[in-house]
Amino acid sequence: MSANTDRYESAVARYFEAWNAGDPEALAKAVAAAWSVEGTYTDPLATVAGHTEIAGLIAGAHEQFPGFAFRPLGAVDGHHNTARFAWELVSEADGSAPVAGFDVITLDADGRIRSVLGFLDRVPAGA
């Protein structure tokens, strides 16, 4: 495994830690560990910048989908300072996954996320 592969996988692991953080304090710490101070997140439903807005977006997802967790699908693929990976949102009660997509992240020199471009492949009606 190359150093770059480790770098991408570490960044993505921190990303999932943030998305799955359970309380506001853990969420704030996980977002700070995953994203650079000026980090951004953009998908078809949201565009946010900075740790506070990113944490707010994640908290909103937890409110909309209580009892769900984000899980990676497949391997992380990357080159230069960019990586991509697929994910799904899984019910901890029954294992259903009503939401799935893939994200492309750009990393800074420290391996923290500068930007996320998210794509939604599966979304329930009315979500």
Side-chain angles (χ1 to χ4, degrees), residues 9-88:
E9 290 180 356
S10 293
V12 171
R14 288 190 307 274
Y15 177 83
F16 281 108
E17 287 174 18
W19 276 98
N20 290 321
D23 65 72
E25 184 178 334
L27 175 56
K29 286 180 181 178
V31 166
W35 271 270
S36 64
V37 172
E38 67 281 354
T40 63
Y41 177 94
T42 302
D43 71 17
L45 305 174
T47 298
V48 295
H51 291 173
T52 300
E53 289 184 8
I54 292 167
L57 175 72
I58 293 170
H62 285 273
E63 289 173 14
Q64 186 175 4
F65 294 97
F68 284 76
F70 287 88
R71 303 283 185 246
L73 283 175
V76 176
D77 182 30
H79 61 82
H80 296 84
N81 289 322
T82 304
R84 65 179 177 164
F85 55 94
W87 54 267
E88 63 184 353

Side-chain angles (χ1 to χ4, degrees), residues 98-122:
V99 183
F102 78 91
D103 292 349
V104 177
I105 61 173
T106 303
L107 303 178
D108 68 10
D110 295 326
R112 292 194 306 164
I113 298 169
R114 280 190 311 187
S115 68
V116 176
L117 297 176
F119 296 84
L120 302 173
D121 297 326
R122 182 173 62 239

